[in-house]
Amino acid sequence: MTTKNWIRAGLPALATTALFAAAAFAQDNPATGAEATAEAAAAVVATVDKGDVTWMMVSSILVLFMTVPGLALFYGGLVRAKNMLSVLMQVTVIAAVMMLIWVFYGYSLAFTSGNAFIGGFDKAFLAGVTTESLADTFSANVKIPEYIFIVFQMTFSAITPALIIGAFAERMKFSAIVLFSILWVTFVYYPIAHMVWFSEGYLFAMGALDFAGGTVVHINAGIAGLVGCIIIGKRTGYGKELMPPHSLPFAMVGASVLWVGWFGFNAGSNLEANAGTTLAVMNTFVATAGAIVGWTLIEWLAKGKPSMLGAISGMVAGLVAITPAAGLSGPLGAIVLGFVASIICFFFCTTIKNALGYDDSLDVFGVHGVGGIVGALGTGIVVAPALGGPGIADYAMGHQVWVQFQAVAMTLVWGGVVSAILYYIVNVLVGLRPSVEKEREGLDIVEHGERAYHS
């Protein structure tokens, strides 16, 4: 991101006039003029643009839209009818609980000083945050209200644990899911967010690039989902009974809502409404389009028929892949990244999963984990100016890809190991799975006493 001049195009004329008046006064009154100039300069430094604030409010609402109804409908349509309501409930309640925890201590752990791996409790319960508090953007001297930065990041914290549940959909207790989500954001999400996005974080200091959450959100959720589906075990009847999605139209609507909401996810991560934001918008369009085409083509060639399920899987894979590179790639690089990622994800969701025999119900690792890995590594390539990317200071492709690899590895190890420990803790406390009889009956009626459909 290029640093703007301290007097920028959107600066109110009054502030500009005041600054020059103070400078003129300083020439005539050296003793007191210096103070006036310093005060005027300070006023300019704390520039807040209403357009930036509006865009960040819209982006936050768009990310909420991704979660409910987007993710809920997408996942709900992909499970069997007897578990549709349970998925809607899980996504909704997880999002609500995560928002509260974010205010209680999550924001403080992720975005305050502590050490390279986790923040402190200085802003627990939003202590010290007021309507006058400001948060930095990527442009020098341009800020946004801290409240809207907190809200925007809160939506990320809300959707990420909800992504995980797709890996073990249809076979985990509601109480276990809620407890696991609370523990997981505390010991996995907040530390990774701090390491990647906070200025004192370990991976941030290393120079890892993650524009909107390739490591923090998708690899993080993907590896937690993979570990979970292995520890919890396969669905009853998996491999012996047909388990097709009960409503592909619902899944398609949900995926489409995800695509719309993802503009807030990706373009909102620029924290301003400027030219860099438009690049993220452009890339979120074309990378996703490239991925849909890529998955459709490879499935057509491999299976003889292109499917709607394949098209929406490609859609999500493309969105995942471009997330870390949304503002760091040129449009052509984004298209290639989405196209390649969708083909690799297709391979993992079919060949690799079948060969290894794990039951990742809705391909959370195959799409989010693998797509996030491809996107994170690819970001180190597509950022290159020679490939149409905006470039970064002291860029060297080999070095940047190596840094990206270290960030991916750190996320996989931290997320995988800690998630495994948390699953076992939850199993001891409340148990992970319902009985076989309850699982066969369906989680809608067993866990919530109601059904999505009545025949």
Side-chain angles (χ1 to χ4, degrees):
M1 199 66 57
T2 56
T3 302
K4 293 178 180 177
N5 294 326
W6 59 273
I7 299 179
R8 62 195 189 98
L11 185 65
L14 181 61
T16 308
T17 303
L19 181 63
F20 283 110
F25 179 77
Q27 290 179 350
D28 298 329
N29 303 273
T32 57
E35 294 180 5
T37 303
E39 291 176 1
V44 173
V45 166
T47 299
V48 177
D49 189 285
K50 290 182 179 179
D52 294 340
V53 178
T54 302
W55 169 240
M56 292 310 300
M57 290 191 290
V58 170
S59 294
S60 301
I61 294 168
L62 284 171
V63 182
L64 173 63
F65 189 52
M66 288 175 67
T67 313
V68 285
L71 182 66
L73 285 177
F74 178 58
Y75 276 1
L78 293 176
V79 300
R80 289 168 289 181
K82 63 183 180 180
N83 295 311
M84 167 67 163
L85 193 73
S86 70
V87 171
L88 302 183
M89 184 67 172
Q90 289 164 17
V91 172
T92 302
V93 172
I94 285 172
V97 172
M98 294 307 105
M99 290 177 189
L100 299 181
I101 296 175
W102 183 252
V103 171
F104 296 161
Y105 62 85
Y107 173 66
S108 188
L109 288 180
F111 288 102
T112 65
S113 296
N115 55 52
F117 301 98
I118 193 68
F121 290 98
D122 292 348
K123 293 191 176 181
F125 299 96
L126 303 188
V129 179
T130 70
T131 54
E132 303 299 317
S133 305
L134 299 178
D136 292 330
T137 68
F138 296 107
S139 297
N141 312 322
V142 180
K143 296 180 182 292
I144 56 175
E146 188 172 11
Y147 270 129
I148 195 56
F149 178 75
I150 294 170
V151 168
F152 181 65
Q153 288 295 337
M154 179 176 70
T155 61
F156 278 59
S157 179
I159 194 173
T160 305
L163 293 173
I164 300 171
I165 68 169
F168 40 75
E170 306 190 288
R171 61 189 189 279
M172 189 168 174
K173 292 180 180 179
F174 181 70
S175 58
I177 285 176
V178 175
L179 178 57
F180 173 79
S181 297
I182 293 170
L183 294 172
W184 187 82
V185 292
T186 303
F187 295 102
V188 179
Y189 182 84
Y190 301 153
I192 294 294
H194 181 83
M195 283 188 268
V196 174
W197 284 335
F198 190 64
S199 58
E200 299 172 12
Y202 177 76
L203 295 173
F204 185 98
M206 185 185 294
L209 302 176
D210 188 353
F211 191 81
T215 50
V216 179
V217 175
H218 298 293
I219 299 176
N220 223 359
I223 189 61
L226 177 64
V227 170
C229 75
I230 293 172
I231 290 175
I232 296 167
K234 301 174 184 178
R235 285 168 288 180
T236 299
Y238 180 75
K240 300 176 183 178
E241 304 171 10
L242 291 176
M243 299 180 178
H246 91 279
S247 178
L248 280 175
F250 270 153
M252 191 275 171
V253 170
S256 301
V257 171
L258 281 170
W259 192 357
V260 173
W262 222 291
F263 288 99
F265 203 82
N266 281 354
S269 293
N270 197 51
L271 303 181
E272 302 170 67
N274 59 21
T277 312
T278 65
L279 176 62
V281 169
M282 180 71 179
N283 288 339
T284 305
F285 270 112
V286 298
T288 312
I292 294 171
V293 171
W295 196 298
T296 299
L297 287 177
I298 192 65
E299 186 178 45
W300 205 340
L301 292 171
K303 298 185 176 181
K305 293 181 180 179
S307 70
M308 183 74 255
L309 177 58
I312 60 176
S313 297
M315 181 188 298
V316 177
L319 290 166
V320 170
I322 196 56
T323 293
L328 300 170
S329 171
L332 292 180
I335 293 171
V336 173
L337 190 59
F339 186 87
V340 171
S342 69
I343 294 175
I344 296 174
C345 288
F346 171 83
F347 179 68
F348 265 83
C349 292
T350 53
T351 306
I352 298 297
K353 186 172 79 167
N354 292 336
L356 297 179
Y358 59 87
D359 182 14
D360 182 353
S361 304
L362 309 183
D363 291 313
V364 172
F365 181 72
V367 173
H368 293 276
V370 174
I373 292 169
V374 173
L377 296 176
T379 299
I381 298 172
V382 297
V383 71
L387 298 177
I392 56 174
D394 302 319
Y395 174 74
M397 185 179 294
H399 170 74
Q400 191 59 49
V401 171
W402 170 239
V403 170
Q404 298 299 108
F405 175 83
Q406 293 178 78
V408 168
M410 181 92 178
T411 305
L412 289 172
V413 173
W414 186 295
V417 172
V418 178
S419 295
I421 294 171
L422 297 178
Y423 283 116
Y424 285 114
I425 291 174
V426 171
N427 191 42
V428 170
L429 294 176
V430 299
L432 291 172
R433 291 189 74 150
S435 66
V436 172
E437 293 74 19
K438 290 181 177 180
E439 187 179 330
R440 285 196 175 280
E441 187 174 357
L443 300 184
D444 285 7
I445 193 69
V446 167
E447 293 281 325
H448 307 292
E450 51 191 353
R451 298 184 187 277
Y453 308 102
H454 296 276
S455 56

